[in-house]
Amino acid sequence: MGGWQESPALLPPGTYFMSGNEACAEGALAAGCRFYAGYPITPSSEIMVHMAQRLPELGGNFMQMEDELGSIAAVIGAAWGGLKAMTATSGPGISLMLENIGYAIMTETPCVIVDVQRAGPSTGQASRPAQGDIMQARWGTHGGVDLIALAPWSVQEMYELTIRAFNLAERFRVPVFLLADEIVGHLHETVTIPPAVRTFERLRWPQEMPFDTPEPDGVPPMPAFGEGAYLLVTGSTHDGRGYRRTTDAAVQDRLMRRLSAKIRRHQDEIDDWEEYSLEDAERVLVACGSAARSALWAVQQARRQGRPVGLLRLKSLWPFPDEVVASRCGGRREIIVPEMNLGQLAGEVRRAAGVPVTSLTQVDGEPIDPRRILAYLLEEVW
């Protein structure tokens, strides 16, 4: 059993007015999330509040934990109990969760981690926006194995990409980040709820090995405790049955390579982006999240003044869409990356595209004013 299914949406189809954080929670419920564990932290707390209200109505379980360490641990446990599970936090909470996120990667535990980014480091500015966790999401936990991260830019996408995050988590048995930011989380916009949503239900098959597979996609089925499988779940190096093999070089090598390959091999399924006016663009902006909203306005205004500029908006950040960026940015006069950090996205774009990149950074805890981007496009001042 399992695989792709289409189910009726939980909310009646139509147009709703809600915040990004509320849309994220509704997207999680529509995807089948029935367990949430979390600890309140600005600017993500509305997700927790909404899940606390809605999960009991649907027969789900909500737990407020003592901290973020307990939150991600409870989410991992719930996933092995057979439920789709999620937590939401911000940068300081991610810092505390990283050890167990590595455990989730090693044990191939599907779960969704929402990071509504705020200005940091440390407690920083609790209610101000930033995009400073892009590298933390990818490289925060040790070992260097791939995971998946998505970046919504609207309330509609907080709903849609949360559903997609669950589908990718279940499809590839991996933790998936939803890297939102304070602006998108607290923004209020209309959201269109469709009549049905497409979800991926995990492949259980208790008779199969839970930590290896001869199948070329490299994703083993995942039985739950209580379903008849002999399960041994460990964060130490293990073989296909879950037995510890901590001194076996061949087992460690095979495990590490498969954990990354099951993501990299399906990058074409994961990569997600949008293009605006790239056909004849001499200068291309690359952006994500709320910074891309400012970038799009600047591109539209510059176009009206006859400037051949365009925008590449990245909806998936990890694994980084190298081929998408290289094919859209190569041969252009200038690549420009506006972002609310000190150049994390710009560095990846420069590496992938192999061309010089102009990094327009802003780290004052304020949204990027689109007029500043337009001024750069028109006068090259920032």
Side-chain angles (χ1 to χ4, degrees):
M1 299 294 292
W4 289 104
Q5 300 179 14
E6 187 165 290
S7 307
L10 294 177
L11 292 175
T15 301
Y16 294 78
F17 187 68
M18 61 178 73
S19 73
N21 282 342
E22 292 167 336
C24 172
E26 285 297 332
L29 297 170
C33 177
R34 292 297 180 266
F35 183 87
Y36 181 98
Y39 184 78
I41 180 171
T42 304
S44 72
S45 297
E46 294 83 2
I47 298 173
M48 179 176 175
V49 170
H50 201 80
M51 294 297 273
Q53 294 172 335
R54 290 277 284 140
L55 270 172
E57 300 172 3
L58 300 169
N61 296 282
F62 169 86
M63 292 183 69
Q64 177 172 337
M65 302 302 293
E66 69 275 21
D67 55 27
E68 289 84 353
L69 286 83
S71 300
I72 186 66
V75 164
I76 292 170
W80 278 102
L83 296 178
K84 293 183 179 180
M86 180 180 87
T87 188
T89 185
S90 191
I94 295 294
S95 297
L96 293 173
M97 291 182 182
L98 284 170
E99 181 180 2
N100 266 336
I101 292 173
Y103 179 84
I105 294 171
M106 189 63 152
T107 57
E108 301 181 71
T109 305
C111 56
V112 172
I113 303 149
V114 181
D115 180 2
V116 186
Q117 298 171 87
R118 72 188 205 186
S122 189
T123 45
Q125 294 178 294
S127 60
R128 310 308 301 171
Q131 295 175 309
D133 303 347
I134 294 174
M135 287 297 170
Q136 184 190 37
R138 173 64 182 88
W139 301 106
T141 188
H142 63 286
V145 174
D146 283 274
L147 48 62
I148 298 171
L150 309 177
W153 80 334
S154 67
V155 176
Q156 184 72 44
E157 282 194 353
M158 286 291 277
Y159 178 82
E160 294 173 350
L161 291 192
T162 300
I163 295 173
R164 185 160 196 259
F166 273 97
N167 288 341
L168 292 170
E170 299 291 332
R171 167 78 176 85
F172 298 112
R173 282 188 59 180
V174 66
V176 175
F177 275 96
L178 189 77
L179 281 177
D181 58 63
E182 185 277 337
I183 297 171
V184 178
H186 285 161
L187 186 68
H188 281 72
E189 289 181 325
T190 56
V191 180
T192 301
I193 303 296
V197 296
R198 193 164 180 254
T199 62
F200 189 90
E201 305 303 321
R202 77 184 60 160
L203 306 175
R204 296 177 183 266
W205 304 344
Q207 72 278 11
E208 301 290 334
M209 290 189 297
F211 299 105
D212 203 354
T213 176
E215 298 298 324
D217 72 351
V219 185
M222 181 182 173
F225 283 105
E227 294 182 341
Y230 294 100
L231 278 175
L232 178 61
V233 183
T234 174
S236 297
T237 298
H238 49 271
D239 63 17
R241 294 288 178 188
Y243 295 117
R244 295 175 79 244
R245 296 284 188 263
T246 56
T247 59
D248 192 320
V251 170
Q252 169 70 3
D253 183 81
R254 174 176 172 78
L255 179 57
M256 289 285 289
R257 295 184 189 283
R258 185 179 61 77
L259 291 178
S260 270
K262 70 178 182 179
I263 307 298
R264 293 283 178 174
R265 198 172 291 160
H266 299 92
Q267 181 144 6
D268 57 342
E269 278 187 55
I270 300 167
D271 286 351
D272 199 3
W273 74 97
E274 282 186 349
E275 304 175 9
Y276 300 86
S277 305
L278 287 188
E279 298 79 10
D280 61 344
E282 296 179 2
R283 305 164 77 195
V284 172
L285 282 84
V286 183
C288 67
S290 62
R293 296 172 72 107
S294 297
L296 178 59
W297 184 89
V299 165
Q300 292 170 335
Q301 298 305 312
R303 279 267 165 187
R304 289 174 183 166
Q305 300 187 41
R307 308 300 175 96
V309 298
L311 169 66
L312 173 62
R313 179 170 77 89
L314 300 181
K315 299 169 68 174
S316 63
L317 297 181
W318 302 115
F320 196 75
D322 287 2
E323 292 185 10
V324 172
V325 171
S327 62
R328 273 71 178 176
C329 295
R332 310 286 183 170
R333 187 181 125 204
E334 185 181 18
I335 307 300
I336 307 157
V337 180
E339 55 185 324
M340 292 184 289
N341 57 53
L342 292 174
Q344 296 182 28
L345 183 60
E348 283 301 293
V349 172
R350 187 179 296 114
R351 178 192 59 76
V355 297
V357 170
T358 301
S359 178
L360 303 182
T361 64
Q362 182 168 320
V363 290
D364 59 358
E366 298 296 328
I368 295 180
D369 189 331
R371 293 169 297 187
R372 295 188 67 200
I373 301 175
L374 179 62
Y376 179 84
L377 294 175
L378 299 180
E379 306 170 18
E380 297 193 0
V381 294
W382 176 256

